[in-house]
């Protein structure tokens, strides 16, 4: 009986032990079957970044426009290298011509508030870096301001060459803390080789011209989305030409129609009489320059006649030109003034007595006026520009961009 009781007790103990082990196994199995935790990386495709804010990126490939939201991280932790880290909400996949499907990666400097390091941007194909976009400054550092955030990224084909370009808008805060922050436009032109070139002059022009900097306002500045939207041919030639101008030497610009075609001539207005005015014309696929004497001139619109009328110290001239293949050619010339301005003579009305010469022939004042008007009808003439009512370089670029091709 004792043996039987011991045997029963042993069996009961066995059953109890098995029960405990079974319960433990069920608990572990339940933990294994529990729904996985959603990480920031897993949710980015829906929420557009760890902040949960949705980010829309305009992607244009040829004539097709797509809207893509979300990101694809090459490093789930967001950690970068060399003092940079990935900006999750501005890292995403894009289908760019001619590169195909790539990942656009935005990096921000990891250093503290006093850091002058700027943002950095790359295009990746898997782990391979396809392109690193040039920064605004050679060493990618800024002296007086620090990077705040990437506000927008877009991939239009703004010049309609069949290859995607890149527009980036970043914001910056001053290091001093005494001034307001600002936004800055970067425009990169794409190419057949898949390389992207920073259009620094065009970017600076957009910055100066636009009060509100958005992708749409930049595209409007570039003239994209309109009939004949590509600033090609004479438009692009003038834009490139304007971007290279010295902002101190030339105080303003004007567009005139000298000859009877639909391409305007560009007037450059110097900062002094010594610099004078210059007429730039598009011909033969390039911009041709024509220097005038001093600042004043008039022209007959669509009449292909221009008169450079100027002078000083009692010595004056009227030089009449016509334009052929972008070059101004002389038609006639007249000069008038005093023989010796230290010994001026006056008529009965108190006017200075001048000598008049037209095409090398001496004549009276009345004859000179008749000769001039026989070649250049002054009643039809227009001033080349109005002083202090001319266009700035940025305004001229914008106006050309918006003109019909």
């Amino acid at each position: 009986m004792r043996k039987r009781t011991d045997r029963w007790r042993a069996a009961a103990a066995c059953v109890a032990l098995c029960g405990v082990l079974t319960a433990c196994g069920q608990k572990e199995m339940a933990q294994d079957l529990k729904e996985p935790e959603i990480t920031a990386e897993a949710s980015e495709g829906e929420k557009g970044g760890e902040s949960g804010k949705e980010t829309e990126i305009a992607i244009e490939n040829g004539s097709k426009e797509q809207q893509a939201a979300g990101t694809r991280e090459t490093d789930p932790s967001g950690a970068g290298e060399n003092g940079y880290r990935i900006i999750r909400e501005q890292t995403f996949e894009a289908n760019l011509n001619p590169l195909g499907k790539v990942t656009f990666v935005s990096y921000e400097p990891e250093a503290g508030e006093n850091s002058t390091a700027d943002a950095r941007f790359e295009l990746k194909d898997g782990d391979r870096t396809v392109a690193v976009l040039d920064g605004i400054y050679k060493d990618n550092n800024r002296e007086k301001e620090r990077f705040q955030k990437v506000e927008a990224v877009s991939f239009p084909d703004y010049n309609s060459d069949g290859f995607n370009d890149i527009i980036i808008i970043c914001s910056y805060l001053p290091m001093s803390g005494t001034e307001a922050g600002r936004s800055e436009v970067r425009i990169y032109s794409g190419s057949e080789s898949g390389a992207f070139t920073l259009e620094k002059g065009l970017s600076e022009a957009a910055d100066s011209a636009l009060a509100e900097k958005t992708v749409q306002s930049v595209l409007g500045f570039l003239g994209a989305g309109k009939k004949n939207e590509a600033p090609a041919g004479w438009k692009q030639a003038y834009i490139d030409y304007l971007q290279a101008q010295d902002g101190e030497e030339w105080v303003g610009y004007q567009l005139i129609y000298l000859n009877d075609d639909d391409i305007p001539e560009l007037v450059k207005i110097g900062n002094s009489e010594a610099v004078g005015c210059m007429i730039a014309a598009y011909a033969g696929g390039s911009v041709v320059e024509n220097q005038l004497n001093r600042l004043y001139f008039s022209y007959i619109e669509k009449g292909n006649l221009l008169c450079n009328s100027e002078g000083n110290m009692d010595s004056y001239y009227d030089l009449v030109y016509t334009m052929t293949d972008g070059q101004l050619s002389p038609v006639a010339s007249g000069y008038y003034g005093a023989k010796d301005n230290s010994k001026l003579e006056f008529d009965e009305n108190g006017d200075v007595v001048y000598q008049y010469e037209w095409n090398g022939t001496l004549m009276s004042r009345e004859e000179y006026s008749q000769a001039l008007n026989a070649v250049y009808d002054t009643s039809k003439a227009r001033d080349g520009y109005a002083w202090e009512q001319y266009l700035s370089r940025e305004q001229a670029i914008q106006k050309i961009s918006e003109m019909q091709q």
Side-chain angles (χ1 to χ4, degrees):
M1 182 71 179
R2 181 180 178 87
K3 288 182 181 179
R4 194 174 198 180
T5 303
D6 291 342
R7 212 179 277 165
W8 178 85
R9 287 178 178 173
C14 251
V15 171
L17 178 59
C18 288
V20 171
L21 291 174
T22 300
C24 289
Q26 289 175 340
K27 182 177 181 182
E28 290 175 359
M29 184 180 296
Q31 288 177 340
D32 290 339
L33 295 176
K34 182 181 177 182
E35 183 178 351
E37 181 180 357
I38 298 177
T39 63
E41 181 186 10
S43 65
E44 282 170 13
E46 297 178 4
K47 300 299 184 181
E50 60 185 350
S51 65
K53 182 180 179 180
E54 184 176 357
T55 303
E56 284 196 335
I57 307 298
I59 300 178
E60 299 178 13
N61 189 3
S63 62
K64 183 178 181 180
E65 295 184 357
Q66 298 174 320
Q67 295 293 322
T71 68
R72 183 184 76 176
E73 298 271 358
T74 56
D75 180 353
S77 69
E81 55 184 52
N82 299 324
Y84 285 88
R85 63 184 177 187
I86 293 174
I87 305 174
R88 295 171 178 268
E89 62 269 24
Q90 295 294 353
T91 296
F92 41 82
E93 289 183 349
N95 192 9
L96 306 182
N97 190 24
L99 295 177
K101 192 173 183 180
V102 294
T103 303
F104 179 88
V105 186
S106 301
Y107 296 92
E108 63 181 341
E110 289 186 318
E113 291 186 357
N114 293 325
S115 171
T116 57
D118 206 347
R120 186 161 60 89
F121 303 95
E122 296 182 0
L123 292 171
K124 288 183 173 290
D125 181 3
D127 293 330
R128 182 173 67 92
T129 299
V130 177
V132 178
L133 301 187
D134 289 339
I136 297 295
Y137 298 95
K138 187 175 181 180
D139 59 358
N140 209 39
N141 277 280
R142 294 169 177 266
E143 293 183 358
K144 299 180 180 179
E145 57 188 2
R146 57 186 172 86
F147 170 77
Q148 184 182 23
K149 67 177 180 178
V150 178
E151 294 184 352
V153 179
S154 183
F155 304 99
D157 178 10
Y158 79 85
N159 52 16
S160 295
D161 61 359
F163 307 110
N164 288 100
D165 309 304
I166 302 176
I167 295 173
I168 302 173
I169 303 174
C170 295
S171 59
Y172 297 89
L173 295 173
M175 295 296 290
S176 63
T178 59
E179 300 176 2
R182 70 180 189 92
S183 297
E184 179 182 85
V185 177
R186 300 188 191 189
I187 301 170
Y188 296 86
S189 59
S191 65
E192 185 177 5
S193 67
F196 292 88
T197 301
L198 173 62
E199 302 293 346
K200 193 168 183 179
L202 189 58
S203 300
E204 291 174 351
D207 268 331
S208 300
L210 298 174
E212 181 183 5
K213 297 176 180 66
T214 65
V215 169
Q216 289 304 315
S217 68
V218 174
L219 289 174
F221 172 82
L222 295 171
K226 300 179 181 179
K227 184 179 179 181
N228 299 320
E229 62 182 11
W234 64 266
K235 292 176 66 177
Q236 189 62 55
Y238 276 153
I239 290 171
D240 293 342
Y241 179 76
L242 281 163
Q243 289 169 0
Q245 298 307 301
D246 186 336
E248 295 183 0
E249 184 177 22
W250 305 103
V251 298
Y253 304 85
Q254 192 59 274
L255 294 169
I256 64 172
Y257 286 92
L258 179 57
N259 50 30
D260 60 357
D261 62 25
D262 293 327
I263 301 176
E265 285 69 46
L266 176 65
V267 179
K268 296 164 56 179
I269 304 159
N271 62 9
S272 67
E273 291 284 2
V275 174
C277 278
M278 184 176 286
I279 308 298
Y282 180 77
S286 62
V287 178
V288 180
E289 295 182 331
N290 299 273
Q291 180 66 54
L292 300 183
N293 294 328
R294 303 176 73 82
L295 287 173
Y296 182 75
F297 75 94
S298 62
Y299 70 103
I300 297 176
E301 188 172 42
K302 298 275 187 176
N304 201 16
L305 287 172
L306 179 148
C307 187
N308 189 187
S309 303
E310 264 285 9
N312 69 330
M313 302 293 290
D314 296 297
S315 178
Y316 304 97
Y317 49 82
D318 293 295
L319 309 177
V320 181
Y321 297 93
T322 188
M323 178 170 283
T324 305
D325 296 330
Q327 292 278 5
L328 288 178
S329 303
V331 174
S333 59
Y335 298 87
Y336 59 98
K339 285 184 178 180
D340 183 354
N341 67 350
S342 65
K343 298 178 181 179
L344 297 178
E345 298 180 14
F346 299 88
D347 60 19
E348 64 274 12
N349 297 320
D351 296 327
V352 180
V353 176
Y354 288 148
Q355 276 194 346
Y356 292 86
E357 178 184 306
W358 184 258
N359 285 342
T361 302
L362 290 173
M363 55 185 63
S364 68
R365 179 178 179 178
E366 290 74 16
E367 291 172 329
Y368 180 94
S369 178
Q370 291 172 3
L372 170 61
N373 277 275
V375 175
Y376 183 79
D377 189 347
T378 55
S379 68
K380 297 179 180 178
R382 303 179 59 168
D383 290 339
Y385 60 92
W387 189 251
E388 294 187 346
Q389 295 181 24
Y390 35 72
L391 303 171
S392 68
R393 182 179 65 171
E394 292 73 23
Q395 289 171 332
I397 290 174
Q398 184 169 10
K399 186 170 183 177
I400 290 169
S401 299
E402 294 173 348
M403 296 176 74
Q404 293 297 318
Q405 189 72 13

